[in-house]
Amino acid sequence: MPDTVFPPRPTPLVPVTGGDMFPVARIFCVGRNYAAHAAEMGHAVDREAPFYFTKSAHAVLLSGNDMPYPPRTNDLHHEMELVVAIGAAARGVQQEDALKVVFGYSCGVDMTRRDLQAAAKDKRRPWDTGKDFENAAILGPLTPAADVADITASTIALTVNGVTRQTASIADMVWSITEIIADLSTLYTLMPGDLIMTGTPAGVGPVVAGDVLHGTIDGLMPVSTRIV
């Protein structure tokens, strides 16, 4: 077999409670999945169907590590989210079967260069530079689905320097976990290693160097980082 022209980048691995590691393939993100967040951003929720954007697996930053403030932005925002980890192949899966392909759940923070995202929106361009950059997907350890009683009954929250910025119920999501998986599996063949960041509640806002972020979802390991 021919040699590679340079060593391939390692696959990002997320710890699983119990000691295993989950290799990350793709990261799908759901936009405007909490009505109050859509409203604070000046948008109405499109209830016809979910919409998505993506992050590279190499945007992953594991909880507990510092996040360097990214370049080309003066308006870095936090967006606390429930992350769903896929553990089996799924193509055109029905809602009633959607949870069968879920490996587990984690806390995550979708970091956003809000000024770049806003500029892209104004010009009707893709959001990539605002959303998909190094360290922009901060992930806590995964908890296997079998160890989570009812994630939809959980509270999701994020503090910055100990002050609550975001809090809501997972049940407030416009599109449920099963609806998202069923819809997304009509666009892609979901595969083990894929992650779905399911959207953020209201209260997003800017952070600066020195800020400490701490996110929680009942029943899951927390996620945290310090901006440097």
Side-chain angles (χ1 to χ4, degrees), residues 75-99:
D75 196 19
L76 178 66
H77 279 213
H78 60 78
E79 298 190 9
M80 177 64 192
E81 313 207 1
L82 168 67
V83 181
V84 177
I86 301 299
R91 177 68 176 172
V93 68
Q94 299 298 307
Q95 282 191 49
E96 57 266 28
D97 296 321
L99 293 183

Side-chain angles (χ1 to χ4, degrees), residues 125-163:
R125 293 177 177 173
W127 295 2
D128 299 56
T129 58
K131 288 288 192 178
D132 187 9
F133 55 95
E134 291 90 343
N135 308 305
I138 306 170
L139 301 177
L142 280 163
T143 299
D147 297 336
V148 180
D150 180 11
I151 198 66
T152 62
S154 295
T155 296
I156 180 172
L158 181 133
T159 65
V160 177
N161 302 326
V163 177

Side-chain angles (χ1 to χ4, degrees), residues 60-131:
V60 168
L61 177 70
L62 296 183
S63 177
N65 290 290
D66 291 344
M67 180 192 179
Y69 197 95
R72 297 279 296 273
T73 183
N74 293 305
D75 196 19
L76 178 66
H77 279 213
H78 60 78
E79 298 190 9
M80 177 64 192
E81 313 207 1
L82 168 67
V83 181
V84 177
I86 301 299
R91 177 68 176 172
V93 68
Q94 299 298 307
Q95 282 191 49
E96 57 266 28
D97 296 321
L99 293 183
K100 295 178 182 177
V101 306
V102 174
F103 170 81
Y105 305 98
S106 76
C107 293
V109 187
D110 165 18
M111 300 303 293
T112 302
R113 292 191 281 208
R114 190 71 73 200
D115 43 2
L116 299 190
Q117 183 194 30
K121 287 180 179 179
D122 288 344
K123 295 181 180 180
R124 305 186 71 175
R125 293 177 177 173
W127 295 2
D128 299 56
T129 58
K131 288 288 192 178

Side-chain angles (χ1 to χ4, degrees), residues 2-228:
D3 291 335
T4 58
V5 296
F6 53 82
R9 296 176 68 177
T11 298
L13 302 173
V14 178
V16 178
T17 57
D20 292 332
M21 302 295 285
F22 183 91
V24 179
R26 297 173 293 183
I27 304 174
F28 300 99
C29 305
V30 185
R32 301 174 193 162
N33 201 28
Y34 288 79
H37 169 60
E40 75 179 350
M41 300 303 293
H43 301 286
V45 171
D46 180 357
R47 296 182 183 273
E48 181 178 349
F51 80 92
Y52 311 98
F53 56 93
T54 60
K55 290 178 183 278
S56 163
H58 297 290
V60 168
L61 177 70
L62 296 183
S63 177
N65 290 290
D66 291 344
M67 180 192 179
Y69 197 95
R72 297 279 296 273
T73 183
N74 293 305
D75 196 19
L76 178 66
H77 279 213
H78 60 78
E79 298 190 9
M80 177 64 192
E81 313 207 1
L82 168 67
V83 181
V84 177
I86 301 299
R91 177 68 176 172
V93 68
Q94 299 298 307
Q95 282 191 49
E96 57 266 28
D97 296 321
L99 293 183
K100 295 178 182 177
V101 306
V102 174
F103 170 81
Y105 305 98
S106 76
C107 293
V109 187
D110 165 18
M111 300 303 293
T112 302
R113 292 191 281 208
R114 190 71 73 200
D115 43 2
L116 299 190
Q117 183 194 30
K121 287 180 179 179
D122 288 344
K123 295 181 180 180
R124 305 186 71 175
R125 293 177 177 173
W127 295 2
D128 299 56
T129 58
K131 288 288 192 178
D132 187 9
F133 55 95
E134 291 90 343
N135 308 305
I138 306 170
L139 301 177
L142 280 163
T143 299
D147 297 336
V148 180
D150 180 11
I151 198 66
T152 62
S154 295
T155 296
I156 180 172
L158 181 133
T159 65
V160 177
N161 302 326
V163 177
T164 299
R165 289 268 189 99
Q166 295 182 269
T167 185
S169 171
I170 297 297
D172 293 340
M173 291 197 305
V174 175
W175 303 101
S176 68
I177 295 168
T178 57
E179 288 172 322
I180 292 166
I181 292 172
D183 183 72
L184 195 57
S185 73
T186 66
L187 293 167
Y188 304 89
T189 300
L190 298 177
M191 297 296 292
D194 289 339
L195 299 177
I196 305 172
M197 302 187 78
T198 58
T200 193
V204 302
V207 292
V208 297
D211 283 347
V212 175
L213 284 61
H214 185 78
T216 57
I217 297 173
D218 298 336
L220 304 181
M221 298 291 289
V223 62
S224 63
T225 192
R226 179 170 60 106
I227 309 299
V228 296

